[in-house]
Amino acid sequence: MFKIFIIEDDRGLVALLQDYLHKFGYETQAVEQFEQVRQQFEAFAPHLVLLDVNLPKYDGYYWCRQIRGISTCPILFLSARDGKMDQVMALENGADDYITKPFDYEIAMAKIKSQLRRAYGTYAGSNNERSLSVGGMTLDVERLSLTRGETKIDLSHTEAKILDELMKKSGILVTRDRLLEKIWDDQAFVDENTLNVYVTRVRKKLAALGITDGLQTVRGQGYRLYPNWEDEE
């Protein structure tokens, strides 16, 4: 049974979410003490987190960063804030998706199921040790890590999905549509800007490995991972 952790201070909404999630067989736990979110998260060990932005004491972005320091489980924001920058900040702080209140419960459930499938189910890969190497850089798809030489960095699920597709087709154009199809089950739910945010985050992760121009943008079409960093060694 998948366990879902709810970080939301609207008790009415929490009750509705729990009733809905229980109908689909999920186990849930809602935060009771907002000063101890991390401790409650670690004790419950959930498979997925639903997280509001406006919370007592610290906001959702803060708690998203705290959780990302100890877990790669999917995190979905549920927030009444509908601005572009709010969604960008959520993704930049480690979220996997952002749902604006008021939301359609069926769409929210579809996104929850989609994240769980990618993280733990049929889309998570059949080989538990699958990895991919290009130009001396190795992606561990299951452990969500990227290594070059002695340097190793952690990735989010979505960042790993993007790099997986780009590295499998190293040197070849990967269209934006292909990346959207690869990452999300239904493109209708995705803002084009969301992909831009994730590509920016992937570039930052590559830069942390000393790769500054390996991910090239093909204007109006997509992206290409070109292993030119091998020539610099």
Side-chain angles (χ1 to χ4, degrees), residues 53-54 59-61 77 79-95 97-100 197:
V53 174
N54 296 321
D59 64 21
Y61 306 132
F77 269 87
S79 176
R81 294 189 185 182
D82 59 359
K84 174 182 174 181
M85 286 310 300
D86 293 308
Q87 300 184 40
V88 169
M89 285 183 62
L91 296 173
E92 289 282 9
N93 280 281
D97 207 340
Y98 192 103
I99 303 173
T100 304
V197 171

Side-chain angles (χ1 to χ4, degrees), residues 111-126:
K111 289 185 175 245
I112 289 169
K113 290 180 177 178
S114 171
Q115 292 292 338
L116 290 172
R117 282 198 303 271
R118 285 198 295 275
Y120 312 107
T122 54
Y123 300 161
S126 56

Side-chain angles (χ1 to χ4, degrees), residues 12-57:
L13 179 57
V14 169
L16 290 172
L17 279 171
Q18 289 185 309
D19 285 346
Y20 200 80
L21 290 167
H22 292 167
K23 291 178 183 175
F24 286 86
Y26 298 114
E27 180 181 352
T28 67
Q29 179 174 307
V31 166
E32 296 291 340
Q33 297 175 303
F34 285 91
E35 297 82 7
Q36 300 179 350
V37 170
R38 176 169 170 157
Q39 293 90 329
Q40 293 168 81
F41 171 88
E42 291 181 295
F44 186 52
H47 296 92
L48 181 144
V49 174
L50 298 177
L51 175 61
D52 192 10
V53 174
N54 296 321
L55 295 168
K57 198 172 178 64

Side-chain angles (χ1 to χ4, degrees), residues 78-231:
L78 298 175
S79 176
R81 294 189 185 182
D82 59 359
K84 174 182 174 181
M85 286 310 300
D86 293 308
Q87 300 184 40
V88 169
M89 285 183 62
L91 296 173
E92 289 282 9
N93 280 281
D96 294 285
D97 207 340
Y98 192 103
I99 303 173
T100 304
K101 299 174 184 174
F103 52 85
D104 183 293
Y105 278 83
E106 291 185 1
I107 292 178
M109 184 56 62
K111 289 185 175 245
I112 289 169
K113 290 180 177 178
S114 171
Q115 292 292 338
L116 290 172
R117 282 198 303 271
R118 285 198 295 275
Y120 312 107
T122 54
Y123 300 161
S126 56
N127 185 341
N128 291 331
E129 299 297 329
R130 189 165 72 89
S131 64
L132 196 62
S133 294
V134 170
M137 178 177 70
T138 300
L139 169 68
D140 188 323
V141 180
E142 315 310 326
R143 292 185 173 83
L144 302 177
S145 65
L146 191 64
T147 305
R148 185 187 184 210
E150 299 298 321
T151 305
K152 179 179 179 180
I153 58 175
D154 294 326
L155 303 170
S156 70
H157 287 283
T158 304
E159 292 164 357
K161 289 288 185 183
I162 291 173
L163 280 165
D164 185 30
E165 191 66 15
L166 290 168
M167 291 174 70
K168 283 192 296 189
K169 299 179 179 178
S170 175
I172 300 173
L173 170 69
V174 179
T175 66
R176 290 178 60 87
D177 287 344
R178 174 57 187 162
L179 287 176
L180 289 167
E181 181 183 350
K182 173 73 176 179
I183 298 167
W184 286 278
D185 294 336
D186 190 336
Q187 294 186 39
F189 296 157
V190 178
D191 185 331
E192 279 277 324
N193 290 323
T194 302
L195 179 58
N196 297 336
V197 171
Y198 276 116
V199 168
T200 298
R201 291 175 60 179
V202 167
R203 282 200 165 98
K204 289 180 179 177
K205 296 295 176 72
L206 293 173
L209 297 179
I211 300 170
T212 55
D213 59 354
L215 178 51
Q216 302 172 349
T217 299
V218 181
R219 185 178 296 275
Q221 298 183 58
Y223 304 94
R224 177 191 295 118
L225 186 69
Y226 190 72
N228 55 355
W229 58 87
E230 291 180 289
D231 301 332

